[in-house]
Amino acid sequence: MAEREEPEKKRSRIEALAENMLVDGTTSDWQGRWDHVKKFLERAGPFTHPDFEPSTESLQFLLDMCKILVIGAGGLGCELLKDLALSGFRHIHVVDMDTIDVSNLNRQFLFRPQDVGRPKAEVAADFINRRVPGCRVIPHFKKIQDLDEMFYRQFHIIVCGLDSVIARRWINGMLLSLLVYEDGVLDTSSIIPLIDGGTEGFKGNARVILPGMTACIDCTLELYPPQINFPMCTIASMPRLPEHCIEYVRILQWPKDKPFGDGVGLDGDDPKHIQWVFQRSLERAAQFNITGVTYRLTQGVVKRIIPAVASTNAVIAAACGTEVFKIASSAYSTLNNYLVFNDVDGLYTYTFEAEKKENCSACSQVPQDVHFSPSATLQEVLNYLTDSASLQMKSPAITTTLDGKNKTLYLQTVASIEERTRPNLSKTLKELGLVDGQELAVADVTTPQTVLFKLSFTS
């Protein structure tokens, strides 16, 4: 009984302390609350920006006006929300489509056992709002793709704590689509800075992106290598690892058995689906005397879960939070523009300037040249879009204009259209009526924008 009462006593003590610190009943600021922030904003120093003028206005902007969007409320997102709230940012929105799993509790410290199954964004927002007086975090339990450009346009800075390259590329494309150009010149007032953090085990990175001015996510897509897949022959006939058994069930057995009915895809967030894959994987492993198949490993293989280390999340979130503070206050020069962190063996950090690609498919503002023979098939073009290290598209839909009319050459996300356009894959570009210099418009889940390609025939 005493053990259960101790957390309640601690919580009550904290709440009482917060109430006692209030100057009056209408404000959440007490004497000396922001002294640690004022030291950076109300005096000059050896590291301040040459154009910085110390004043009280910078702090008031942080407290009263600056709106921050945090994307992701997981391991990195929890740290980010805590850091930003305690740094004086009071108007924060958080977006996350995920719910809390018991495995999150060892590092995602805004969650408690009773929160399992609830939306991460809502629980994280409630926790920060309770513990940091005056801070108002607004949660959005949905996909980033479900929010329109008017939503994103309201923010001064956007911070990402994502574990998905596709989601990173999508928000990158959204911010690029919000840019305004006048006579070919970028209107800098339309730029919304993007701070991106990522972790993998004991490694991490943080970067500052000024859309349209510095290297964007797609400019450095080669830094995000495609996920490793196991050879199909190994999975099907010579499994040696527990991962091979799980992949067999995921790729081959699920579509064949259709355990939850026709057309029901495997959902890595559905415990019933994971349990089914886990049981079938155990059976597969037993046939080949393979040990090591666990529920957690099954979940990791299905969801492509990257191992997480709490200390790495804390370091990278601190780096991202510092960059947000520097941009919002204009007091210090920002990171230029990529930080690498590694403490696998000792401690190593390195910064470098990622260069903007002149022919970037996302931010270059010009159609990309693609070179193919007239005898090449549409399937070869599709393979190029998905396999190219600089594109890495997932399910590209290809359209063009023929005889003044839009024509869909291939679209795989709608079953009826995929069936109708599938014969085009085996046709040559010449047979499809395409000519040298033809523009191809490609839509993909990795970006909200249509990417234009210019077809250049080779002899």
Side-chain angles (χ1 to χ4, degrees):
M1 183 67 179
E3 291 181 357
R4 288 198 298 269
E5 289 177 349
E6 187 60 31
E8 292 298 326
K9 289 181 180 179
K10 183 178 180 181
R11 188 176 300 110
S12 298
R13 190 164 58 252
I14 292 172
E15 291 175 353
L17 181 62
E19 289 178 5
N20 291 335
M21 286 191 292
L22 297 180
V23 175
D24 54 49
T26 60
T27 178
S28 58
D29 288 341
W30 52 85
Q31 189 68 35
R33 180 178 184 184
W34 302 114
D35 284 354
H36 63 296
V37 180
K38 291 179 180 178
K39 291 177 181 178
F40 293 100
L41 302 180
E42 296 183 5
R43 64 182 185 181
F47 300 108
T48 52
H49 193 281
D51 298 330
F52 173 67
E53 295 183 3
S55 70
T56 59
E57 295 178 359
S58 295
L59 177 59
Q60 289 310 123
F61 173 73
L62 263 61
L63 296 176
D64 301 331
M65 297 182 61
C66 190
K67 295 185 72 172
I68 307 293
L69 173 64
V70 176
I71 301 179
L76 201 52
C78 285
E79 293 278 358
L80 282 167
L81 288 169
K82 176 259 294 179
D83 290 347
L84 294 172
L86 295 178
S87 297
F89 295 96
R90 288 172 157 170
H91 303 284
I92 304 172
H93 289 239
V94 58
V95 180
D96 197 297
M97 60 174 282
D98 205 0
T99 55
I100 299 167
D101 183 77
V102 68
S103 64
N104 302 145
L105 301 180
N106 71 325
R107 63 194 181 280
Q108 298 175 22
F109 53 85
L110 300 183
F111 310 140
R112 299 293 181 267
Q114 62 267 26
D115 297 323
V116 171
R118 293 184 59 199
K120 287 185 177 181
E122 294 179 3
V123 176
D126 289 344
F127 192 104
I128 295 293
N129 291 338
R130 287 197 313 270
R131 290 292 292 270
V132 184
C135 186
R136 182 167 179 257
V137 181
I138 299 176
H140 303 273
F141 175 46
K142 55 183 63 180
K143 297 179 181 179
I144 56 174
Q145 293 88 344
D146 294 338
L147 298 162
D148 59 19
E149 65 176 40
M150 292 303 295
F151 172 80
Y152 292 106
R153 202 185 292 275
Q154 67 180 302
F155 298 102
H156 293 94
I157 303 170
I158 294 178
V159 199
C160 289
L162 295 163
D163 58 3
S164 166
V165 177
I166 293 177
R168 279 187 177 91
R169 296 179 66 185
W170 192 92
I171 192 64
N172 178 71
M174 170 57 73
L175 296 185
L176 289 170
S177 72
L178 299 181
L179 297 177
V180 175
Y181 289 85
E182 296 181 2
D183 298 326
V185 179
L186 175 62
D187 179 0
T188 55
S189 66
S190 65
I191 295 175
I192 301 175
L194 174 66
I195 314 297
D196 178 52
T199 64
E200 182 174 349
F202 290 97
K203 303 175 183 178
N205 68 273
R207 64 187 301 184
V208 175
I209 297 172
L210 303 178
M213 292 184 64
T214 63
C216 74
I217 295 291
D218 282 47
C219 285
T220 56
L221 199 55
E222 292 86 349
L223 296 176
Y224 304 98
Q227 292 174 329
I228 297 173
N229 294 309
F230 300 105
M232 184 60 69
C233 57
T234 300
I235 295 172
S237 58
M238 296 182 293
R240 298 184 298 275
L241 300 172
E243 290 87 347
H244 294 162
C245 301
I246 299 168
E247 282 290 81
Y248 174 87
V249 176
R250 183 181 74 86
I251 296 174
L252 300 176
Q253 201 166 342
W254 179 281
K256 179 182 177 181
D257 293 356
K258 302 174 183 176
F260 293 88
D262 288 338
V264 179
L266 176 56
D267 183 358
D269 292 317
D270 190 328
K272 294 180 182 178
H273 290 197
I274 296 296
Q275 185 63 34
W276 188 90
V277 175
F278 172 51
Q279 293 297 332
R280 302 293 87 74
S281 300
L282 283 174
E283 296 169 4
R284 175 78 172 169
Q287 295 175 14
F288 293 89
N289 296 317
I290 296 172
T291 60
V293 174
T294 65
Y295 182 89
R296 184 163 185 170
L297 178 64
T298 302
Q299 191 177 41
V301 171
V302 171
K303 295 182 67 176
R304 294 296 196 263
I305 292 176
I306 298 171
V309 177
S311 59
T312 311
N313 288 333
V315 171
I316 297 304
C320 292
T322 300
E323 295 307 315
V324 173
F325 181 83
K326 290 194 289 187
I327 292 175
S329 66
S330 301
Y332 301 87
S333 297
T334 59
L335 173 71
N336 186 30
N337 51 27
Y338 202 109
L339 165 71
V340 176
F341 171 82
N342 187 333
D343 65 346
V344 172
D345 185 13
L347 180 62
Y348 173 79
T349 61
Y350 174 69
T351 61
F352 68 94
E353 182 180 0
E355 296 185 358
K356 196 171 186 291
K357 285 177 63 175
E358 293 184 1
N359 63 338
C360 174
S361 60
C363 68
S364 66
Q365 300 290 305
V366 295
Q368 306 299 300
D369 288 328
V370 287
H371 302 273
F372 285 95
S373 165
S375 60
T377 64
L378 187 64
Q379 181 67 62
E380 292 177 60
V381 177
L382 193 72
N383 292 343
Y384 169 76
L385 296 174
T386 56
D387 297 342
S388 170
S390 61
L391 296 174
Q392 296 184 34
M393 292 187 173
K394 302 301 176 184
S395 52
I398 308 174
T399 60
T400 190
T401 301
L402 292 174
D403 300 325
K405 298 180 180 179
N406 287 334
K407 180 179 180 181
T408 300
L409 299 179
Y410 184 67
L411 190 151
Q412 56 186 305
T413 54
V414 180
S416 60
I417 301 179
E418 194 281 332
E419 184 177 357
R420 178 167 54 84
T421 58
R422 191 185 308 156
N424 289 341
L425 293 176
S426 59
K427 294 181 180 179
T428 67
L429 303 182
K430 186 176 182 180
E431 289 173 341
L432 290 170
L434 304 181
V435 298
D436 187 49
Q438 184 101 33
E439 281 197 352
L440 303 177
V442 180
D444 190 61
V445 294
T446 57
T447 175
Q449 302 184 93
T450 299
V451 182
L452 293 180
F453 292 89
K454 187 176 180 181
L455 189 60
S456 179
F457 281 161
T458 58
S459 57

